[in-house]
């Protein structure tokens, strides 16, 4: 059983991606034995009203039991609380994603705590996308720095009952949070592995932050999904228990709120 | 898919975090390469990257890599690091490290943009020896670093030296543009290394350059063998083309 905690539907404005529809994505992920995927909307990232993408996303996956829609919200946008409520109550989503760098706010601002409080009230997890593409691939007129993770740890400790997923973070970014935590990340903090690099890098990061904090993710179809499966199953030498944790048990624990 | 013979990775580096000695570095690389089906790996640069290396740094890195090759000549090959700003020394290193072995190519990084006339005698020497030049190519949205070559720079150099074979590293990193830049310059092949495993990379390179002109490389140890192999294994191209990219093109270009 493999749960992909970081897949996408729709189109990125600066590159056409194949496998961008639900049917295509499900088929593409099945090729590498991925059974289920949490999907966000690529279209949402650059929209001013990001929530305009949520209803279409929910409708798109409604007939696909292999996909779970994750809405996008912007806590700087007027009446954003109703958008979070819609994700939970209208669309039945288990979590919401934010793109603070594209939405012009930081994790140190009060809006992040406000979002976590709203998520707690509704039983949602919150996912932070650190980046969408390598900064060196950005369009020269749309260069967006990655999300700084300062402020993440303090808020994760303050809102210890809200699961927080950090997506698209690199080894050093996950490592810096682990270092700041004194090597003991809060139980509610998870890092998705699609951007972990270097030879044996997933295993190095897992040893650093704790395997119980690692979620399997592909960033497909922007990335080839084989990158994640080859990293986890071939390049690294995880125990069966660690593979269980990374590929689905951690995600299931997150959803169960354990 | 399985290929007849192992995968050839044309572009790796012995980063310091892989080991502090040639023995440790080789052991680490081989442990992971074996898991990924990689038979041979092409070394360049050294444990620490020097944008403007001194002669001493060049010699130390070349010696480090030569020692790795000596330990496992069936698993590693290498490119002679040179600095074109130190042309006499560069030509001397080429003679010493290629003519006398063990290196089978030349590595050029970012010490000097490759359009500079200092590159001409280096390219002529490469042609005489029948070895390729692995040239770093990049396209940064804010403009390249001083001394860093773009795909268009390499095309300009390659046009001046039609008898020399060039490996355009990273396909320019912004591969959608790099593959197009390289398309009509037949003495340039491109490697797929470095950068994220963006879907479409290899398909685009094959579309513009043809499968005979694309080589798998990883940029390990900074990059994962797995993420870079995924670009080929996951590409929507034929198994025959994948075999070319993973092995047979490198055997031809590098005379392995």
């Amino acid at each position: 059983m493999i749960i992909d905690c970081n897949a996408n539907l729709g189109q990125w404005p600066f590159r056409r991606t194949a496998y961008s529809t639900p049917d295509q994505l499900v088929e593409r992920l099945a090729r590498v034995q991925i059974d289920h995927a949490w999907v966000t909307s690529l279209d949402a990232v650059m929209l001013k009203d990001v929530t305009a993408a949520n209803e279409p996303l929910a409708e798109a996956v409604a007939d696909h039991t292999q996909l779970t829609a994750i809405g996008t919200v912007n806590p700087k946008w007027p009446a954003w609380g109703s958008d979070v409520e819609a994700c939970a109550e209208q669309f039945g989503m288990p979590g919401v994603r934010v793109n603070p760098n594209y939405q012009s706010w930081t994790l140190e601002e009060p809006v992040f705590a406000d979002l976590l409080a709203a998520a707690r009230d509704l039983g949602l997890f919150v996912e932070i996308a650190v980046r969408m593409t390598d900064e060196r691939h950005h369009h020269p007129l749309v260069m967006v720095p990655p999300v700084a993770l300062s402020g993440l740890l303090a808020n994760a400790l303050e809102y210890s009952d809200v699961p927080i997923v950090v997506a698209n973070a690199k080894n050093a970014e996950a490592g810096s949070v682990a270092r700041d935590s004194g090597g003991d990340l809060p139980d509610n903090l998870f890092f998705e592995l699609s951007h972990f690099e270097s030879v044996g890098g997933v295993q190095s990061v897992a040893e650093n932050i704790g395997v119980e904090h690692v979620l399997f993710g592909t960033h497909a179809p922007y990335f080839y999904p084989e990158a994640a499966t080859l990293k986890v199953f071939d390049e690294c030498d995880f125990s069966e228990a660690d593979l269980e944790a990374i590929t689905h048990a951690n995600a299931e624990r997150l959803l169960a709120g354990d | 898919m399985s290929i007849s013979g192992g995968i050839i990775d044309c572009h790796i580096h012995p980063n310091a975090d892989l080991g502090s000695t040639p023995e440790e570095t080789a052991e680490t690389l081989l442990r992971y390469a074996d898991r990924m089906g990689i038979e041979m790996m092409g070394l360049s640069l050294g444990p620490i990257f020097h944008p403007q290396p001194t002669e001493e740094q060049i010699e130390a890195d070349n010696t480090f890599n030569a020692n790795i090759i000596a330990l496992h000549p069936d698993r590693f090959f290498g490119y002679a690091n040179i600095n074109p700003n130190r042309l006499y020394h560069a030509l001397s290193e080429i003679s010493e490290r290629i003519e006398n072995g063990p290196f089978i190519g030349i590595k050029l990084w970012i010490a000097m943009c490759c359009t500079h006339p200092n590159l001409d005698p280096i390219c002529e020497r490469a042609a005489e020896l029948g070895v390729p030049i692995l040239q770093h190519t990049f396209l940064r949205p804010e403009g390249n670093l001083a001394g860093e070559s773009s795909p268009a720079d390499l095309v300009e150099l390659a046009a001046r030296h039609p008898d020399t074979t060039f490996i355009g590293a990273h396909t320019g990193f912004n591969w959608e543009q790099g593959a197009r830049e390289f398309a009509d310059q037949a003495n340039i092949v491109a490697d797929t290394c470095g950068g994220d495993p963006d879907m479409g990379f290899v398909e685009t390179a094959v579309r513009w350059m043809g499968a005979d002109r694309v080589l798998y490389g990883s940029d390990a140890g900074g990059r994962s063998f797995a993420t870079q192999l995924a670009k080929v294994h996951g590409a929507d191209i034929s198994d025959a083309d994948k075999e070319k990219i993973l092995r047979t093109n490198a055997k031809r270009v590098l005379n392995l």
Side-chain angles (χ1 to χ4, degrees), chain A residues 13-185:
Chain A
F14 307 101
R15 179 178 298 152
R16 297 294 89 176
T17 53
Y19 308 104
S20 59
T21 69
D23 285 341
Q24 292 168 338
L25 183 66
V26 166
E27 182 275 325
R28 186 65 180 84
L29 294 178
R31 279 193 225 168
V32 288
Q33 286 74 54
I34 292 173
D35 306 284
H36 194 92
W38 303 352
V39 291
T40 62
S41 168
L42 286 174
D43 302 299
V45 180
M46 296 297 287
L47 289 174
K48 290 182 73 175
D49 179 2
V50 296
T51 53
N54 288 340
E55 186 168 359
L57 178 69
E59 290 175 354
V61 307
D63 295 330
H64 296 78
T65 57
Q66 306 94 331
L67 302 178
T68 297
I70 309 298
T72 299
V73 297
N74 178 359
K76 282 280 199 174
W77 195 244
W80 61 269
S82 63
D83 299 328
V84 180
E85 287 175 10
C87 287
E89 296 170 353
Q90 182 180 349
F91 305 129
M93 296 169 172
V96 290
R97 170 180 276 209
V98 290
N99 298 88
N101 48 348
Y102 288 89
Q103 298 167 351
S104 300
W105 56 277
T106 74
L107 303 185
E108 294 181 306
E109 292 182 46
V111 291
F112 183 41
D114 294 343
L115 173 65
L116 293 172
R120 179 177 57 195
D121 292 344
L122 293 162
L124 297 172
F125 70 79
V126 172
E127 181 183 48
I128 302 155
V130 174
R131 59 178 52 76
M132 293 305 295
T133 69
D134 188 306
E135 289 71 31
R136 296 166 295 179
H137 276 163
H138 285 189
H139 190 290
L141 298 180
V142 190
M143 296 173 64
V144 182
V147 176
L149 295 180
S150 50
L152 172 64
L153 193 56
N155 279 293
L157 290 165
E158 178 71 22
Y159 293 90
S160 59
D161 47 356
V162 180
I164 301 174
V165 177
V166 182
N168 301 340
K170 297 185 178 182
N171 305 34
E173 291 161 336
S176 70
V177 178
R179 190 167 51 250
D180 290 347
S181 73
D184 188 19
L185 283 182

Side-chain angles (χ1 to χ4, degrees), chain A residues 15 19 28 31 134-138 140 197-200 221-227 230-231 234-237, chain B residues 32 35-36 141 173-176 196-203 220-227 230-231 234 236:
Chain A
R15 179 178 298 152
Y19 308 104
R28 186 65 180 84
R31 279 193 225 168
D134 188 306
E135 289 71 31
R136 296 166 295 179
H137 276 163
H138 285 189
E197 270 286 354
S198 79
V199 173
Y222 201 83
F223 283 2
Y224 294 106
E226 285 81 359
L230 287 169
K231 277 192 292 192
D234 292 73
E235 187 172 79
C236 293
D237 187 26
Chain B
Y32 289 101
R35 292 176 187 166
M36 303 309 299
F173 190 75
N174 274 285
W175 43 267
E176 293 145 302
D196 290 332
D198 295 336
M199 191 180 284
F201 184 137
V202 167
E203 293 92 328
R223 289 284 176 177
S224 153
F225 288 124
T227 60
K231 295 176 182 173
D236 286 329

Side-chain angles (χ1 to χ4, degrees), chain B residues 28-41:
Chain B
T28 303
L29 285 165
L30 289 173
R31 184 167 71 251
Y32 289 101
D34 287 346
R35 292 176 187 166
M36 303 309 299
I38 296 170
E39 178 186 351
M40 297 194 76
M41 294 167 273

